[in-house]
Amino acid sequence: MKGKKGKLSTDPYKGVRDFYPEDSALLRYIFSVWREAAESFGYIEYRASILEPSELYRAKGAENEELVNKQTYTFTDRGKREVTLRPEMTPTLARMVAGKRKELVFPVRWYSIPDVFRYERPQRGRLREHFQLNIDILGIESLYAEAEVIAIAHTILKTLGGKDTDFEIRINSRKAMNSLFAKYTFSVEKIREIRGLIDRKTKMEPAQFDAELKKVAGPDFALPETEPDDVADTRALLRNIGIQNAVYDPSIVRGFDYYTG
């Protein structure tokens, strides 16, 4: 990358960051807190390459076809194979677990700290590369698993100096939202449109959101006010282990295409 008068620029690639020693030290500290919290709950770390076959992401359906085509770093290697810089870790996790499923002892408790890449317009707080903590428990159908993962996040925030009054844990139920949408004759596309609007709720004035919701979903549609049983039970489990700042929030809908609980 060349700057003025053909000189090589010292700036990093657009949308990524350099970590000088002082920044790297802070990053290592954050990662150490993540690892300590995960391992205190019995999770073990796994790693994988940042490169995956592009078909791994397309296998998730039409929405991920768009993800691969428009939001990822995808290219053809010298062996004529289409590969992608990982935009998330879940498909890699699923591939790895499927590959060793006969050898693993379930439930599996794994964690990872990957850097992931999205070809998006860089903006404040959202770049093209970021690090994330993945906490995954597989092979158990219980709200105890939900509560355990939430407890790890709570532990991390408290270790980093947060107080319960500094943050909220917001929980919604996919099952409850499915039941709500089932009362109406919405198409799949209409449900996605409604969910997209609900996802933007916190960025809108209440009156504006209510008007938009009525226009998109009809005058009779409204978000539930009564807490679903699975959310109430999860919050009760959290209270039993001392976590008091979990609340029900029916506007949490991002990712519901693949969430099940």
Side-chain angles (χ1 to χ4, degrees):
M1 182 172 61
K2 293 185 177 181
K4 295 180 179 179
K5 298 181 181 180
K7 292 183 179 180
L8 187 65
S9 173
T10 59
D11 294 332
Y13 172 72
K14 185 177 182 180
V16 305
R17 293 167 290 180
D18 293 323
F19 290 89
Y20 286 87
E22 60 272 21
D23 304 314
S24 188
L26 178 58
L27 197 64
R28 286 199 309 274
Y29 167 68
I30 293 172
F31 288 176
S32 71
V33 171
W34 289 357
R35 285 191 171 94
E36 183 177 348
E39 292 173 6
S40 71
F41 281 79
Y43 288 71
I44 55 178
E45 187 171 9
Y46 72 97
R47 295 179 61 84
S49 170
I50 63 171
L51 291 174
E52 287 281 11
S54 301
E55 63 186 20
L56 182 67
Y57 304 106
R58 290 199 169 97
K60 287 179 65 177
E63 285 198 354
N64 263 52
E65 181 74 27
E66 181 178 355
L67 170 69
V68 173
N69 292 338
K70 296 183 179 180
Q71 298 181 25
T72 64
Y73 287 88
T74 296
F75 59 93
T76 302
D77 69 10
R78 293 177 182 175
K80 308 299 182 183
R81 296 170 290 257
E82 190 180 50
V83 295
T84 297
L85 287 178
R86 62 186 176 209
E88 56 175 311
M89 203 64 180
T90 302
T92 295
L93 170 73
R95 174 182 61 74
M96 293 174 64
V97 171
K100 295 281 188 179
R101 64 189 182 280
K102 294 182 179 180
E103 303 170 36
L104 296 172
V105 177
F106 291 90
V108 166
R109 285 177 169 85
W110 287 1
Y111 79 92
S112 63
I113 304 176
D115 49 345
V116 297
F117 304 84
R118 292 285 181 101
Y119 192 82
E120 298 178 318
R121 181 175 62 85
Q123 51 190 294
R124 181 178 177 83
R126 192 177 184 90
L127 301 178
R128 289 176 171 171
E129 178 192 17
H130 70 270
F131 296 94
Q132 63 184 40
L133 171 64
N134 281 69
I135 299 288
D136 296 286
I137 179 169
L138 301 95
I140 179 172
E141 294 186 16
S142 168
L143 293 179
Y144 285 101
E146 310 282 357
E148 181 174 286
V149 172
I150 292 170
I152 296 173
H154 182 270
T155 298
I156 289 169
L157 290 171
K158 295 298 290 288
T159 302
L160 292 172
K163 300 176 182 178
D164 281 354
T165 53
D166 294 330
F167 64 94
E168 277 185 338
I169 299 166
R170 299 180 181 180
I171 307 173
N172 194 13
S173 167
R174 166 68 186 266
K175 294 177 182 178
M177 296 303 289
N178 282 351
S179 297
L180 174 65
F181 290 131
K183 296 179 181 179
Y184 303 86
T185 56
F186 294 141
S187 66
V188 173
E189 292 75 17
K190 176 61 70 172
I191 291 174
R192 286 176 178 164
E193 184 181 5
I194 295 170
R195 285 209 311 256
L197 176 62
I198 295 171
D199 188 44
R200 301 192 300 274
K201 182 176 184 290
T202 58
K203 300 178 181 178
M204 304 170 67
E205 294 294 328
Q208 180 190 9
F209 172 77
D210 291 342
E212 287 292 321
L213 187 63
K214 283 181 169 52
K215 184 167 68 174
V216 171
D220 297 330
F221 183 87
L223 291 177
E225 297 181 1
T226 303
E227 183 177 35
D229 290 343
D230 53 351
V231 173
D233 291 343
T234 302
R235 292 180 62 235
L237 289 172
L238 292 172
R239 287 194 298 271
N240 287 340
I241 57 176
I243 298 176
Q244 306 293 332
N245 58 338
V247 298
Y248 168 53
D249 185 350
S251 71
I252 303 296
V253 296
R254 181 166 299 184
F256 269 17
D257 276 342
Y258 55 88
Y259 291 155
T260 57

